[in-house]
Amino acid sequence: MDNSGKNREHWQSRAGFILAAAGSAIGLGNIWRFPYMTGEHGGAAFILIYLIAVLLLGYPLLVNEMALGRKAQSDPVGIFKRLAPQSPWWLTGALAVFTGFFILSYYAVVAGWSFAYIYKVVLAAASPGMDHALAFREHISSVVEPIVWQGLFVVLTVAIIAAGVVNGIQRWSTILMPVLFVLLLVLIVRSITLPGAGEGLVYYLKPDFGKVTGRTVLAALSQAFFSLSIGMGAILTYGSYLRKKDEITGSAAWVAGLDTGIALLAGLALFPAIFALGFEPGAGPGLAFITLPAVFAKMPLGGFFGVLFFFLLGIAALTSAISLLEVVTAWLIDEKGWSRRRAAVCMGIAVFIVGIPASLGYSLLKGFSFPGLGMDMLDTYDWISNSIFLPLGGILTAVFTGYVWGGTRAAREVGRGRKASSIVKIWVWLIRYVVPVLIIVIMAVGIYDTFVR
Ligand code: TRP
């Protein structure tokens, strides 16, 4: 608990923090999850609801987590212990640590697929006659291979976290994020210049509200939380490496803006190509991994663009996975006095083991699903963490800040170093009255729709 003084590492600049936080936010959520959720939930109408969720719930919670972290200079459990000693609020931090661990376990499975595909696409390009969709389905549904790639990805993540906040997280985020941006632009140009791309653009940009239900709204909410990395302590933890003099509202706006921008750009890279080459947008989690390889196979220079895409996906996944592992690591360092290296390695092993069933959901555990959910294992991990744990974490954080820590104190902390106070006033109001209530309503309706549909 006393790791917060001079010993605690801090981001070296404002840009370093923004890039690290954006690196956490921008990940599989933007490039894999956002497009398939958009495809499943009716295109532009979903996007509109998503944007409202980011503005009304996502941004305020982003500010909230940064402020709590900067104030308490501790891991998620320590933050609540410091600001509300002798109360059960530390359990909110514990829930956050647990959720981060859980998300990372299946995140590594999907990230493993992307790395495996980099070399698979090359192989595929070398054998023109093969059925690509089938070949890629076979990768996901084999037993050992995806687990090996999942393990390799965890090793990479552990290596960066073991190197520390500045030399690991900040350094690699600063190098990898610009690379990601350039790759994405190249892909967009390719996609929208394919003949017949227009139909995809229409689907992507023209809302159809006929498909919107309670499930859609819960899906948009969970997507906003997942994509912004909020609700499970990642931003709390990154916020705790801020110096007292660092400002927050502007940095949070950068992070939310970059994250949303990259998600929208990823859709722009995918949908025109999917439509132009005659595929279905509603393919679900397989959209990037089964549909896209087939799309690349039909596209001029598809092998090249395929490698580019999966490389992009792998980089984005890596800078996010490190933020997930950092939460558990920070907890072990700050609360249990472990060394950084030991914490990262032990948690890496545990995360790997817990993730294995998510990988086996397409092979040994195929067809198994929990009653009422009707989802494969990976989707089940995803649904539980993103539709239940993240919103729950969001509610608890907002209620804690607005009523326990207190609106006045929170406002003073957020407003530190700012001249205009109107944005801080709106923020407190959102955190006290809008965020908790809206999340509860959306969760209730969405869960009802899921089980009683
Ligand atoms: N935001 C990341 C993505 O979009 C995933 C992620 C990283 C995350 N850290 C998180 C999600 C914390 C929820 C909470 O891929």
Side-chain angles (χ1 to χ4, degrees), residues 303-329:
F304 172 72
F305 288 105
V307 170
L308 219 57
F309 177 79
F310 289 110
F311 185 60
L312 172 81
L313 200 57
I315 292 179
L318 191 58
T319 53
S320 298
I322 55 181
S323 78
L324 289 161
L325 185 59
E326 178 61 19
V327 175
V328 202
T329 306

Side-chain angles (χ1 to χ4, degrees), residues 24-25 27-30 103 107 226-227 229 232 234 320 323-324 390:
S24 163
L28 294 172
N30 306 60
I103 294 181
Y107 205 83
F226 184 79
S227 192
S229 299
M232 54 76 36
S320 298
S323 78
L324 289 161
L390 293 186

Side-chain angles (χ1 to χ4, degrees), residues 14 17 21-22 51 77 86-87 101 106 117 125 137 159 218 235 255 264-265 294 298 410 422 424 429 442:
R14 178 166 186 242
F17 168 64
L51 292 178
V77 172
Q86 320 294 338
S87 84
F101 179 90
Y106 85 87
Y117 275 30
R137 206 182 307 255
L218 180 59
I235 303 297
V255 174
L264 294 175
L265 288 178
K298 284 177 79 178
S422 52
V424 178
W429 182 79
I442 296 174

Side-chain angles (χ1 to χ4, degrees), residues 412-428:
R412 205 182 316 127
E413 181 65 26
V414 168
R416 188 201 287 269
R418 282 189 56 89
K419 285 198 203 83
S421 66
S422 52
I423 184 175
V424 178
K425 287 206 186 96
I426 300 175
W427 174 79
V428 173

Side-chain angles (χ1 to χ4, degrees), residues 63-406:
V63 170
N64 195 345
E65 289 199 18
M66 288 178 187
L68 284 170
R70 185 185 63 183
K71 173 76 190 167
Q73 298 283 305
S74 184
D75 71 292
V77 172
I79 287 172
F80 290 94
K81 279 191 182 161
R82 270 175 202 201
L83 298 179
Q86 320 294 338
S87 84
W89 277 99
W90 64 270
L91 286 167
T92 306
L95 175 76
V97 172
F98 171 78
T99 310
F101 179 90
F102 195 61
I103 294 181
L104 181 56
S105 74
Y106 85 87
Y107 205 83
V109 173
V110 181
W113 295 347
S114 1
F115 279 102
Y117 275 30
I118 295 174
Y119 103 100
K120 294 248 164 186
V121 172
V122 178
L123 285 189
S127 51
M130 77 191 267
D131 178 344
H132 293 85
L134 185 70
F136 289 98
R137 206 182 307 255
E138 268 171 5
H139 172 76
I140 292 175
S141 56
S142 58
V143 178
V144 179
E145 224 186 310
I147 295 181
V148 172
W149 286 98
Q150 172 203 353
L152 287 176
F153 181 78
V154 172
V155 170
L156 211 56
T157 309
V158 168
I160 295 182
I161 287 304
V165 175
V166 172
N167 284 327
I169 304 174
Q170 181 182 308
R171 175 151 164 244
W172 285 101
S173 301
T174 313
I175 297 174
L176 294 175
M177 295 320 287
V179 175
L180 177 139
F181 187 66
V182 172
L183 293 184
L184 195 55
L185 289 186
V186 175
L187 281 167
I188 291 173
V189 171
R190 170 67 281 190
S191 180
I192 58 178
T193 50
L194 286 168
E199 204 191 326
L201 284 176
V202 170
Y203 172 84
Y204 190 54
L205 300 173
K206 200 163 149 256
D208 166 13
F209 288 99
K211 291 200 184 121
V212 173
T213 66
R215 285 189 89 189
T216 321
V217 181
L218 180 59
L221 172 84
S222 81
Q223 175 60 25
F225 278 54
F226 184 79
S227 192
L228 291 171
S229 299
I230 52 181
M232 54 76 36
I235 303 297
L236 284 176
T237 308
Y238 277 21
S240 77
Y241 304 129
L242 282 170
R243 298 158 299 190
K244 289 284 179 194
K245 62 176 189 197
D246 292 321
E247 73 74 61
I248 284 179
T249 43
S251 298
W254 267 106
V255 174
L258 286 171
D259 184 64
T260 308
I262 297 283
L264 294 175
L265 288 178
L268 204 54
L270 261 61
F271 288 110
I274 289 171
F275 276 84
L277 300 169
F279 290 90
E280 272 295 312
L287 186 67
F289 293 99
I290 294 170
T291 308
L292 276 192
V295 169
F296 291 128
K298 284 177 79 178
M299 184 191 255
L301 284 183
F304 172 72
F305 288 105
V307 170
L308 219 57
F309 177 79
F310 289 110
F311 185 60
L312 172 81
L313 200 57
I315 292 179
L318 191 58
T319 53
S320 298
I322 55 181
S323 78
L324 289 161
L325 185 59
E326 178 61 19
V327 175
V328 202
T329 306
W331 170 66
L332 284 168
I333 296 174
D334 289 350
E335 299 296 310
K336 308 285 171 200
W338 287 31
S339 75
R340 172 166 282 276
R341 180 179 290 255
R342 174 166 166 231
V345 171
C346 290
M347 284 304 108
I349 294 171
V351 153
F352 171 66
I353 294 171
V354 173
I356 289 177
S359 182
L360 293 179
Y362 299 94
S363 51
L364 294 182
L365 296 174
K366 196 175 169 66
F368 173 80
S369 114
F370 288 100
L373 271 181
M375 298 173 184
D376 61 44
M377 285 307 282
L378 189 117
D379 260 359
T380 307
Y381 276 55
D382 182 282
W383 192 84
I384 295 177
S385 19
N386 301 329
S387 295
I388 307 288
F389 288 154
L390 293 186
L392 201 59
I395 296 172
L396 291 171
T397 307
V399 169
F400 175 83
T401 304
Y403 300 95
V404 181
W405 192 29

Side-chain angles (χ1 to χ4, degrees), residues 10-55:
H10 288 98
W11 309 110
Q12 288 176 322
S13 65
R14 178 166 186 242
F17 168 64
I18 292 176
L19 280 174
S24 163
I26 298 167
L28 294 172
N30 306 60
I31 301 167
W32 163 71
R33 202 172 187 275
F34 177 77
Y36 89 71
M37 292 297 266
T38 302
E40 272 185 343
H41 293 282
F46 174 83
I47 298 178
L48 218 60
I49 302 173
Y50 172 74
L51 292 178
I52 296 172
V54 169
L55 217 62

